Amino acid sequence: MSSASRHPTPHAPAVIGIDVATASVRVVCVDGRGCVLAEARAELPPPVRTVAGTSEQDARSWWPAVRTALRRTTGALPRGGREVTAVAVSATSGTIVPTGADGVPLGPALMYDDRRAADLNAEAQRVGGARWDALGLSVGPTAALGRAVWCLRTYGRGLRHVLHTPDLVGRALTGRPVATDWSHALKSGYDARAAEWAHEVFDAFDFPLALLPAVRAPATEAGVVGREAAEATGLPEGCSVRLGMTDGCAGQIATGAVEPGRFVGVLGTTYVLKGVSAELVHDATGAVYSHRHPDGWWLPGGASNTGGEWLADVDPARLPALDAAAAARGPASYVRYPLRRDGERFPFVSGAARGFELGRPRDEADAHRAALEGVAFVERLALERVERLGVPVLGPLHAAGGGSRSAVWTAIRATVLDRPVRVVDRAETAFGAALLAATGTLHEDLAAGAAAMVRGGALVDPVPGERSALDDAHGRFVAALRERGWISDG
């Protein structure tokens, strides 16, 4: 992907990506070369979470927020939105809403972190064990599958549909029911390998499959913008509505990591590794699981409990000075595993895992540097794990997330990995949704769209003078994990 300067072409066709996140809706409009023409956001009410593990949001707030953000975006375009060819919607993974026959919510949306159906999900895991094993997937306590069953038992005959966030927004855009994509359907019990809902599991719960939407590949057309939505949003009537993907998958696509062997390390509150493989990856521990790529490949990855969360107690205003001091001092004098919570889920699975230090810091800069290195050590283990599972990791690692804005942290990551790290300009969900909207409209396929639209960003090379010290520290880190029984030699 070229990082050359780009300028929008006047009156060129454009696409829009919509990200329905937890706190807000974000909309971005880009042309076929990835130039941002306009963008806007609208706030959403915060989810209501309880100590009992429930997590709800008013689903009726989604469309008004989407409508507002779209109107602000199209109003800022040179042709008032007439240049928009297609739109796609991405949202949180595993959020569902019960609706009646008219598509109107019967109650609040059950969010991705809602645990009310943990017992139902445990039963779904047992019933569908053979299927989940073949998929390399497990049904966790927060899976949407169990919550769908809860909706049936709660709303009874009044329940006509269990929809995902983009399904509800897509219906508002088109004026009719739309299919869902196989990315959003994954945690609801869809088997993308067999191209079917896990019917034996739903049968065990007496759950009619007719309550679930049809499923199609991301980036395919779900319908077109109807007259009412066109008047409300500024989108042209007849504009193509394409299927999106979950926020994590769309964020990966936004980096340009869309072909086999390409991976992205997302460094936010936690660390997430995502990539593309030609074949489905099987990880017996469950640390790595796969979404399906729009072109039929697979998107293996995993999410750690380690990451930028260790900075939660640090005043953000102090980070530039701490980074500068960490860069000046060079490799840390001791080893640190900066895990703030109990347990780890990737690149290894251990409920017993706890953060630790091998030695003591000389000063604050040393402690800061050791934590930066500790997350990089986790990232190296993550890449080595997917390679042991038979997935090649090619070329530079794409980098995204707030932590990738730290120059010293990125240089440490490159050195620990002994490979260049490419920081991508707009690695965000809404931009990834725009790429999906451009697939089959502005560009022939996703790879062509990513090549034309994703800006490569800065390429950060390893620091040769620090390689030996960081290799030694990583070895001590791995040895400590083995001594504690959290990882094995396999």
Side-chain angles (χ1 to χ4, degrees), residues 111-488:
M111 300 297 284
Y112 54 89
D113 55 348
D114 189 293
R115 303 176 66 90
R116 76 184 66 199
D119 57 337
L120 295 172
N121 282 323
E123 179 64 10
Q125 172 65 37
R126 187 191 67 78
V127 173
R131 183 187 291 271
W132 310 133
D133 287 347
L135 270 172
L137 184 70
S138 61
V139 183
T142 62
L145 195 164
R147 284 182 276 119
V149 176
W150 181 91
C151 287
L152 177 61
R153 295 181 178 181
T154 301
Y155 295 101
R157 293 183 178 181
L159 181 70
R160 297 299 180 86
H161 306 286
V162 175
L163 302 180
H164 309 89
T165 308
D167 313 345
L168 199 68
V169 174
R171 181 165 184 148
L173 285 168
T174 64
R176 62 191 64 188
V178 299
T180 196
D181 66 273
W182 59 44
S183 173
H184 282 95
L186 177 73
K187 292 184 179 179
S188 299
Y190 184 73
D191 182 346
R193 179 171 171 266
E196 63 183 16
W197 291 102
H199 52 82
E200 75 281 9
V201 178
F202 288 104
D203 286 348
F205 290 116
D206 293 322
F207 186 100
L209 292 182
L211 296 177
L212 299 169
V215 183
R216 297 174 63 188
T220 55
E221 186 172 84
V224 298
V225 172
R227 179 179 299 176
E228 185 176 341
E231 293 174 352
T233 64
L235 291 170
E237 187 175 352
C239 171
S240 180
V241 177
R242 319 293 285 193
L243 295 181
M245 300 187 79
T246 59
D247 50 2
C249 291
Q252 172 185 344
I253 286 169
T255 70
V258 300
E259 296 179 290
R262 304 300 178 183
F263 276 77
V264 55
V266 183
L267 187 46
T269 301
T270 59
Y271 175 78
V272 178
L273 180 70
K274 291 179 173 290
V276 185
S277 62
E279 304 295 335
L280 179 61
V281 176
H282 293 276
D283 181 0
T285 71
V288 176
Y289 73 94
S290 300
H291 280 270
R292 190 142 206 187
H293 189 285
D295 295 331
W297 294 321
W298 294 91
L299 302 175
S304 174
N305 285 337
T306 314
E309 187 176 55
W310 68 271
L311 290 166
D313 298 332
V314 180
D315 182 353
R318 299 189 60 235
L319 288 176
L322 285 171
D323 274 6
R329 80 164 318 284
S333 67
Y334 75 117
V335 174
R336 181 178 177 187
Y337 178 27
L339 177 66
R340 286 179 62 100
R341 61 181 80 186
D342 294 346
E344 184 58 280
R345 53 184 173 154
F346 178 73
F348 59 91
V349 178
S350 172
R354 302 291 186 272
F356 60 75
E357 294 181 343
L358 306 179
R360 300 298 301 168
R362 294 174 179 170
D363 52 33
E364 189 178 31
D366 197 23
H368 184 71
R369 173 81 191 213
L372 299 177
E373 292 174 2
V375 176
F377 297 155
V378 170
E379 181 169 53
R380 177 168 164 178
L381 281 176
L383 284 173
E384 290 171 348
R385 182 171 193 85
V386 299
E387 288 180 321
R388 284 200 305 273
L389 291 170
V391 182
V393 180
L394 307 176
L397 177 74
H398 298 266
S404 297
R405 291 194 289 268
S406 168
V408 63
W409 207 350
T410 305
I412 289 169
R413 293 166 67 186
T415 307
V416 169
L417 299 176
D418 195 26
R419 73 169 67 229
V421 172
R422 186 181 296 282
V423 181
V424 182
D425 290 347
R426 292 196 67 115
E428 58 193 49
T429 299
F431 191 89
L435 278 173
L436 291 166
T439 301
T441 56
L442 302 186
H443 297 287
E444 181 180 1
D445 53 31
L446 182 58
M453 298 171 66
V454 177
R455 301 190 185 195
L459 187 67
V460 179
D461 291 315
V463 181
E466 296 184 355
R467 174 69 182 171
S468 177
L470 290 177
D471 260 351
D472 178 69
H474 178 261
R476 294 169 61 202
F477 175 76
V478 172
L481 296 177
R482 288 199 179 105
E483 289 168 5
R484 288 161 171 78
W486 302 341
I487 65 172
S488 64

Side-chain angles (χ1 to χ4, degrees), residues 7-72:
H7 301 283
T9 302
H11 309 308
V15 292
I16 281 180
I18 301 170
D19 169 23
V20 185
T22 304
S24 65
V25 170
R26 303 180 184 94
V27 169
V28 61
C29 179
V30 300
D31 67 14
R33 296 189 297 165
C35 298
V36 176
L37 306 179
E39 55 188 321
R41 64 183 293 159
E43 301 305 310
L44 289 171
V48 177
R49 296 184 169 104
T50 71
V51 293
T54 64
S55 180
E56 300 177 347
Q57 188 174 54
D58 185 356
R60 295 171 301 178
S61 68
W62 295 340
W63 173 242
V66 169
R67 184 179 62 209
T68 297
L70 282 171
R71 173 57 74 180
R72 290 171 180 168

